[in-house]
Amino acid sequence: PTDTPTDTPTISPSPIPCTLTDDGMLTSIDLDLSICTGIDVTAVKHIVANSIVEIGTNEYFSRFPNVETVNMTALVTISGNNAFKDKTKLTHVNFPALTTINGTGTFHDCTSLENVDMPALTTIAGDLTFINCILLQTITMPALTTIIGEATFMDCNSLKMVNMTALTTINGHQTFYDCTRLQTIIMPALTTIAGDHTFIYCTSLENVNMTALTKIPGHGTFMHCTSLENVNMTALTTII
């Protein structure tokens, strides 16, 4: 009998894991940027990596010294230390699904960082998260409930307004240490400030409206806030 011919199966080409455009846009479809080999890492200015759900080490970005923007729509957790440390050209990060920062020094010395989009962030547990981000002017984190880490915004000297409408607890020390231009803090749900020196040397702070605040166990909460004029803490019962 004559053999019946069979069709040769069509094999789709594997997608290219990383592409780099002429304007410096690096796009990765993989879970690990370390596979992006054979490219000029100094030419990378923008990173789009929408498959990454966790940053475990700083090796993801240590190879890209000139990165300016990072977009990761699936990122949920930053658990590794120094994820973006010393990225002095980084201006904007967009992490719409990020809920937890556990690592230390995540944006330490990102001295050009101006915009942070983290609408789902609920917990900052790592220390020194935004320390010395000297161009950061406004922080809006509507889902943030807890700050556990130390010196979260220390030396953010351009920071003028902080909007954290869901924040209930500040446990870390020196959260806004030396934010000398901070004028407005919006924390209507804040109930407890347990850390020491939370707003120390916030010399431009004039008005504090924390109507849900009941307890301040921490020391020196508003020490050296030399411009402070109006304080509204109608629920406050305990200062230790």
Side-chain angles (χ1 to χ4, degrees), residues 63-140:
R63 299 187 299 127
F64 308 112
N66 298 318
V67 63
E68 297 175 7
T69 67
V70 179
N71 190 353
M72 295 181 166
T73 57
L75 183 66
V76 174
T77 304
I78 299 176
S79 57
N81 297 333
N82 304 320
F84 298 93
K85 187 177 185 290
D86 295 326
K87 292 294 171 284
T88 57
K89 296 184 180 180
L90 184 66
T91 62
H92 178 228
V93 294
N94 180 34
F95 304 148
L98 182 67
T99 62
T100 307
I101 298 176
N102 288 324
T104 296
T106 301
F107 298 99
H108 190 163
D109 283 335
C110 290
T111 52
S112 297
L113 187 63
E114 296 179 356
N115 297 298
V116 175
D117 291 328
M118 301 175 180
L121 185 66
T122 61
T123 305
I124 299 177
D127 299 336
L128 312 175
T129 302
F130 294 97
I131 188 171
N132 204 35
C133 292
I134 57 175
L135 293 186
L136 200 58
Q137 293 190 32
T138 301
I139 290 289
T140 300

Side-chain angles (χ1 to χ4, degrees), residues 2 23 40 49 66 79 85 95 103 118 128 153 171 188 194 204 224:
T2 304
D23 62 352
D40 180 4
N66 298 318
S79 57
K85 187 177 185 290
F95 304 148
M118 301 175 180
L128 312 175
F153 298 98
N171 287 327
S204 297
H224 301 303

